[in-house]
Amino acid sequence: MWVLTFMLGISILIAIYYKMNHTDSFAVKGTVDTEESTVGSRGVFPLNGEWEFYWGQLLEPEDFKNGVGAPSYMVVPGSWRKDIYGQKYPEYGCATYRLTLTNVHPGVIYGIKKQSIRIASKIYVNGKLLIQSGVVSDSVKGEDMGNTPGAAYFQADAEKIEIIIQVSSHKIFGGGIAESIYFGDQQEITSFFAKNIVHDMLPIAFSFGVAAVYLIIVLLIPGYYKKEKASVFFPMGAASLALINGTIGERIVKYILPGISAEALLNLESVVICMGILSVMMTVYHLDKKFISTLFRNLVLLTQGLFALLYMVLPAETPGIRTLFIIIDLLTLFVIEYRVFYLYIKRTALGITGIEHGLLVLVLYFIDVYCIDQMVFTRGLIGNDRMSLISSVLYIFVWVFLLTYRYHAMFKKNEELTVALLESNYNMERISNHAERSEIAFLQAQIKPHFLFNSLNSILGLCYTNPSKASELLWHLAEFLKSAFDIDTTSEFIMIESELESIRSYVFIEKTRFGKRLEVEMDIEDSLKQQRIVPLLIQPLVENAIRHGALKREEGGKVRLSIQKEEGFGVVAVYDNGPGFSPNSRTRLDRKTGNTGTEREGVGVGNIKKRLMHHYGEELHIEEQEEGVKVWFRFHLEEEDGHGKGSNCG
């Protein structure tokens, strides 16, 4: 299917190509009758056809008055390779063209529009020099390259106009009047000239505009150039093509750089061609490295870099070397295109999709059209290079479509990955929350056997000595066990008052067991009792302060629990007047955070640290006091709507 599509595309382009390059011929044996219907019906018409041709001579208007030999006839536009009789001429040399227009209107101001005459020329109209481009000469030393488009105006003083054009081309092969010479009245020629400039400016502006936009995209989208390295070289290619187009046709570059010489313009064009080939090669290389090997890439980088340097210093009198460079450039493009076409035909599995591969084939096809059109035009086989401009626009357009398609695919893939990542994070959060609730449930249910055994023994003993006290102790044990086993694993937060009830029951049991050896104080700000907090943050700290602090003293000790509001935070602090840290644990005190990794932490403190950081982003602080230890942390207070600032509650 792709073969038929490809052939159809070629057929359509050939038809358009022929239509755009086919022009009528008006000159017959060096004469144009302007009253003929085919001429008179046109405002501006090309002076195409058979011009008088004098090879190897640079004839002045006076020479024709004195008489010259019989002319040959050369078809214009075209190179001087062969006249209408089949006589062949050298690629390099000089010649004079002559055309006579009859039946013009005296007194009317006419204009003549010159396009491309390679490579230096003088145009005389009725014996007066109107346009000069470069310096014509019968030798290479005297020639100065020109070939700049232009227009000139004159008033007809008779019914006949004589046009004489001297042409020399000793430095560039294929001399002659490459493009049509146009004739018409002043207003029409002026309008025609302006339209030509606009016509040539549009594809140049389009190419530069696309290059600028893509360069901005590459610079502004974070990480885009790393993911799509082909996009980095595309702006260089688009800008190179714009500059190349600026050196052909109306030579737009000459309007931007009016002082640039024709030789410098030729060198600029050659350097830009090197840049263009490099951009094509690097763009294709980064689309998929199976297209081009690293060795070939490095070889092209070396040769094109060397060519660019040589072009900047080579004089124009080295056409042989320039021709060799052009052949190498064409071979480079051929190798790239062969690999891309071959892998496309073979349907080789690549890192790009079939659509992207097909678009790349189309891109390279338009490069071929551009190059072929320029070569055919240079040889004088066609009268203009409009197809080059059209194919350059199509080349840029398909590149943009290809890279945009890849960016869209990349964006879609990133979007899918983002959704998958969000789903994964959501699932991980659910698993994490479930695990945390399970861990809390485990901590709640972690009743030490000896604690339960000792509590029951105390109750049993009191049953004989103080039954009412035994009953009260049994009630507190039941409340404590209720808080331990009545687990709501679906809730992440509880009221501070609920945890305080569990703490009071635990403290009552321990005070009953140890009597005056244990003293516990609570200083709780009333407004904080209804605040919600992550469960089991306070009770384990009180338990550790009793077990590892106060009760480590033979005479007993004191524990104080404080919950106050400070600087917009709730602050929980547990103090004990126990023996503090042992010498070994003291050396492990973290001076930056005040946290330790010691035996004083007891069961559950590591879990408290983790949950504090997860829910509040806060640390658990363990500080050695002058007497005993202080353990404290901050938590975010809930606002009036019930949602804690910075917490996950609600």
Side-chain angles (χ1 to χ4, degrees), residues 55-66:
W55 173 251
Q57 304 177 70
L58 297 176
L59 301 174
E60 302 283 342
E62 291 297 325
D63 295 328
F64 287 95
K65 292 179 181 179
N66 299 328

Side-chain angles (χ1 to χ4, degrees), residues 49-90:
E50 301 166 355
W51 285 53
E52 293 180 15
F53 182 72
Y54 302 88
W55 173 251
Q57 304 177 70
L58 297 176
L59 301 174
E60 302 283 342
E62 291 297 325
D63 295 328
F64 287 95
K65 292 179 181 179
N66 299 328
V68 295
S72 179
Y73 294 95
M74 187 69 65
V75 174
V76 172
S79 71
W80 57 36
R81 294 171 59 247
K82 185 169 62 175
D83 63 22
I84 65 172
Y85 304 115
Q87 176 68 40
K88 294 183 179 180
Y89 299 92

Side-chain angles (χ1 to χ4, degrees), residues 58 61 177 245 255 258 260 379 387 396 399 471 501 505 608:
L58 297 176
I177 303 176
N245 287 337
Y255 295 97
I260 190 171
R379 299 297 293 176
M387 182 55 71
I396 296 293
W399 257 135
S471 176
E501 290 175 0
S505 295
I608 292 173

Side-chain angles (χ1 to χ4, degrees), residues 523-645:
D523 182 13
I524 314 298
E525 188 170 329
D526 289 338
S527 63
L528 296 179
K529 291 181 180 180
Q530 299 305 311
Q531 282 284 327
R532 296 196 304 167
I533 194 171
V534 177
L536 284 178
L537 290 181
I538 306 174
Q539 190 271 335
L541 299 181
V542 174
E543 180 181 347
N544 282 338
I546 293 173
R547 290 172 53 203
H548 300 289
L551 295 180
K552 289 293 184 180
R553 296 166 59 102
E554 290 185 8
E555 68 276 19
K558 181 179 179 180
V559 173
R560 184 166 69 89
L561 170 62
S562 169
I563 304 179
Q564 303 294 324
K565 187 185 296 184
E566 295 180 10
E567 299 179 354
F569 288 89
V571 179
V572 175
V574 180
Y575 304 83
D576 70 72
N577 63 347
F581 297 105
S582 66
N584 289 335
S585 65
R586 187 187 303 273
T587 61
R588 297 197 297 269
L589 186 65
D590 184 345
R591 299 300 180 185
K592 292 184 179 180
T593 64
N595 293 343
T596 69
T598 74
E599 66 269 15
R600 276 297 311 263
E601 289 188 351
V603 178
V605 175
N607 179 274
I608 292 173
K609 288 182 178 181
K610 182 174 66 175
R611 290 186 293 123
L612 273 174
M613 182 58 65
H614 174 69
H615 287 281
Y616 301 113
E618 295 287 342
E619 296 279 356
L620 178 66
H621 302 272
I622 305 175
E623 300 173 355
E624 188 174 19
Q625 305 289 299
E626 186 174 339
E627 184 180 25
V629 173
K630 173 186 176 182
V631 181
W632 65 279
F633 66 85
R634 300 192 311 178
F635 64 92
H636 298 288
L637 297 175
E638 289 185 325
E639 298 173 355
E640 292 183 359
D641 60 357
H643 293 277
K645 179 182 177 182

Side-chain angles (χ1 to χ4, degrees), residues 241-306:
L241 190 59
L243 287 172
I244 294 171
N245 287 337
T247 62
I248 62 177
E250 293 293 340
R251 312 292 193 276
I252 300 300
V253 172
K254 293 283 287 185
Y255 295 97
I256 301 173
L257 303 171
I260 190 171
S261 66
E263 188 169 337
L265 189 63
L266 176 64
N267 289 339
L268 173 64
E269 179 184 6
S270 301
V271 171
V272 171
I273 288 173
C274 293
M275 291 173 55
I277 291 174
L278 285 177
S279 70
V280 171
M281 188 267 296
M282 293 301 293
T283 308
V284 173
Y285 175 78
H286 284 294
L287 283 177
D288 196 304
K289 292 182 174 60
K290 289 183 181 179
F291 288 133
I292 299 172
S293 68
T294 303
L295 177 62
F296 180 78
R297 182 203 65 177
N298 294 338
L299 184 62
V300 174
L301 286 172
L302 179 63
T303 55
Q304 293 302 317
L306 179 62

